[in-house]
Amino acid sequence: MINLKSQILNLKSPKLRLLFLAALILGIGACAVPQETQKNKLAEDLKTAQQSNSTLTLNKVTLEQANEKGETFWKVNSQNAVYSKDQKIVNVQKPVGKLFQDGKEIYDIQGETGQVFQEGNQVFLKGNIVATDLKNGVVLRGNELEWRPKEDVLVVRNNLTGENKQVTASAKEARVFSRAKRMELFGSVVANVKDPILQLRTEHLVWFVEQQKVNSDKPTQIDRYKDKIVTDSGFSDQVDVDLKTKIATLTKNAQLMPSDPPLQIESSLMSWNFPAQSVVSPGPVKVFHRVEKVTMTGDTGRGDLQKKVFYLTGNVVGIGEKRQAQLNTDRVTWYLTNQTFDAEGNVVYKQLNPVFNLTGPRAAGELKNQTVIVKGDGSGGQVVTEFVPDEYKGTLGQ
């Protein structure tokens, strides 16, 4: 068998090598025909097909392609193959094979039908595609597969799904770049992370399988689940999720909406730590309590969602919509369970009914019910109370 394959290889074009199994075209009684006769007959058939515009049908065939260095690009076994000189392609049935990069096997592939191009620059399979990454265990399924080895890209499309031990995903198309060690998913992408239980929805997702990271440069929504119920939702124009540290970074128009406490957190950049149930924004941040209608803004912010506490620093402004109260300070600790706060540094408190202003170094209270105590700091810091006459009512905050 090995000798037979070797002889057949010498008969083919260097761009496309066809390896045929024993008793390929000789039919019943082929085992009784001398091996030399088989090789001579096969040589004549191939020569005839190549010199004319006719086709040649072969059974149990192996097609193999190598580059100029002799490194294998791909190898495909087929139950049935039709060679057509004018189209410079080989049509194959029930193809099963391997894809190579730099001489090493990288993917197992299979499908229902396929085409192998004689120029050696493309393999195309259709129907019930299964492509398995031999290094990281990712399995891709779809209805079309295209391998372009010179471009180092494997494309699987049409009802695409992909999975490994960390992520399952669906999309319209996947492009795998083996040397760059990344996979790009395009069109109606839905990626489900197994730990923590997340779902990402976007139009373009890049999956760095070995680095255990996924990111997107398109608007993305992240839902976190517990007992099959969404507990928190995040949105941003750009997302990076580190599956190892279990931290998501939301960039540009970032928004996080936890259900408990019922907040809406907005910033241009925030880090969402799933195990710690915390969120950190190194830049300007706005936190809105959706039930109590209280808003806090600051230059930076940090929230402990498990303890239900939010810390804001720098130019902090708090507004209670129900009572038209406003707090300005340098730093604030907001206790979300009972809606109280502690403020430190340059505290200014204003309210409409009754209208008055309070200033001092420290304050504690509750914005939603206008219960605020402004305190001195014990080192000379004074508390000033300013009552506003009736004719100035309505000018609060101007």
Side-chain angles (χ1 to χ4, degrees):
M1 179 68 68
I2 295 177
N3 291 333
L4 179 58
K5 290 184 179 181
S6 177
Q7 291 294 329
I8 294 170
L9 279 173
N10 294 333
L11 299 171
K12 304 308 296 173
S13 164
K15 291 185 178 180
L16 182 62
R17 300 181 293 177
L18 300 176
L19 310 179
F20 301 97
L21 302 180
L24 190 63
I25 57 175
L26 301 180
I28 299 175
C31 293
V33 180
Q35 189 181 65
E36 191 64 32
T37 303
Q38 294 181 29
K39 291 186 288 186
N40 292 339
K41 178 65 167 64
L42 182 57
E44 293 175 5
D45 290 340
L46 293 174
K47 184 177 180 180
T48 299
Q50 290 174 333
Q51 290 178 347
S52 67
N53 288 327
S54 63
T55 61
L56 176 64
T57 300
L58 301 166
N59 297 315
K60 295 183 179 179
V61 61
T62 298
L63 299 96
E64 182 178 331
Q65 171 65 33
N67 61 15
E68 295 79 5
K69 299 179 182 179
E71 297 173 335
T72 303
F73 274 157
W74 44 258
K75 184 184 294 184
V76 176
N77 300 315
S78 174
Q79 293 296 317
N80 178 279
V82 178
Y83 172 80
S84 174
K85 178 188 175 183
D86 56 339
Q87 297 181 16
K88 295 184 179 181
I89 59 175
V90 179
N91 293 294
V92 293
Q93 298 292 323
K94 300 292 183 181
V96 176
K98 294 183 181 294
L99 305 180
F100 296 74
Q101 190 58 268
D102 301 324
K104 298 179 180 179
E105 297 179 6
I106 57 172
Y107 266 91
D108 281 338
I109 59 169
Q110 66 182 59
E112 294 293 324
T113 64
Q115 293 179 325
V116 177
F117 290 76
Q118 187 174 359
E119 295 301 320
N121 57 8
Q122 188 179 18
V123 174
F124 185 75
L125 305 185
K126 295 186 69 174
N128 294 320
I129 299 299
V130 180
T132 304
D133 190 309
L134 299 176
K135 186 173 183 179
N136 55 46
V138 173
V139 179
L140 297 174
R141 291 181 172 86
N143 284 317
E144 293 182 4
L145 177 149
E146 186 177 357
W147 171 235
R148 302 195 295 267
K150 294 183 179 180
E151 301 174 40
D152 184 36
V153 60
L154 170 70
V155 181
V156 180
R157 61 173 74 92
N158 194 347
N159 294 323
L160 167 79
T161 62
E163 64 177 323
N164 76 342
K165 61 183 180 181
Q166 285 187 317
V167 178
T168 62
S170 62
K172 292 182 179 179
E173 179 175 296
R175 300 175 191 171
V176 185
F177 302 87
S178 60
R179 289 195 183 98
K181 299 180 180 179
R182 79 176 190 272
M183 179 190 306
E184 297 194 30
L185 304 174
F186 297 88
S188 302
V189 181
V190 178
N192 294 292
V193 180
K194 299 176 183 179
D195 183 23
I197 302 176
L198 307 173
Q199 184 178 87
L200 289 78
R201 296 190 294 278
T202 185
E203 288 300 310
H204 177 220
L205 189 74
V206 183
W207 183 4
F208 298 92
V209 180
E210 291 188 17
Q211 297 180 33
Q212 300 182 52
K213 294 181 179 181
V214 295
N215 63 50
S216 176
D217 57 359
K218 300 293 183 181
T220 303
Q221 176 171 339
I222 304 178
D223 290 332
R224 185 178 186 182
Y225 286 80
K226 183 178 181 180
D227 299 327
K228 299 182 179 180
I229 298 175
V230 177
T231 59
D232 313 281
S233 294
F235 315 83
S236 68
D237 292 346
Q238 181 176 320
V239 168
D240 296 271
V241 181
D242 190 318
L243 302 176
K244 190 179 300 183
T245 63
K246 302 177 185 178
I247 296 175
T249 302
L250 311 181
T251 308
K252 298 179 182 178
N253 299 314
Q255 185 180 111
L256 178 61
M257 297 183 68
S259 59
D260 185 21
L263 302 177
Q264 179 174 318
I265 307 166
E266 299 177 7
S267 179
S268 60
L269 174 64
M270 67 175 74
S271 176
W272 183 7
N273 188 313
F274 300 110
Q277 296 187 48
S278 66
V279 57
V280 176
S281 177
V285 61
K286 176 182 177 181
V287 185
F288 174 63
H289 196 288
R290 304 196 305 270
V291 176
E292 301 299 340
K293 307 300 181 184
V294 174
T295 302
M296 291 275 190
T297 62
D299 290 344
T300 65
R302 174 173 61 90
D304 188 325
L305 302 179
Q306 185 175 25
K307 294 181 179 179
K308 300 180 177 59
V309 180
F310 220 99
Y311 308 89
L312 296 103
T313 304
N315 297 307
V316 178
V317 178
I319 297 176
E321 294 183 12
K322 291 181 179 180
R323 301 288 184 175
Q324 293 295 296
Q326 178 174 319
L327 172 74
N328 294 71
T329 185
D330 294 336
R331 296 174 300 279
V332 71
T333 301
W334 187 11
Y335 304 97
L336 298 161
T337 300
N338 56 17
Q339 284 299 296
T340 62
F341 68 86
D342 290 324
E344 293 185 23
N346 300 308
V347 176
V348 177
Y349 173 74
K350 303 176 184 179
Q351 69 176 43
L352 281 178
N353 187 22
V355 178
F356 67 91
N357 299 337
L358 294 171
T359 61
R362 298 173 58 206
E366 189 176 357
L367 279 177
K368 69 170 185 175
N369 292 327
Q370 292 181 303
T371 305
V372 177
I373 300 174
V374 179
K375 308 174 184 178
D377 58 10
S379 60
Q382 298 296 312
V383 176
V384 178
T385 302
E386 178 184 354
F387 291 93
V388 181
D390 289 343
E391 60 266 28
Y392 291 100
K393 289 183 179 181
T395 63
L396 177 65
Q398 297 182 1

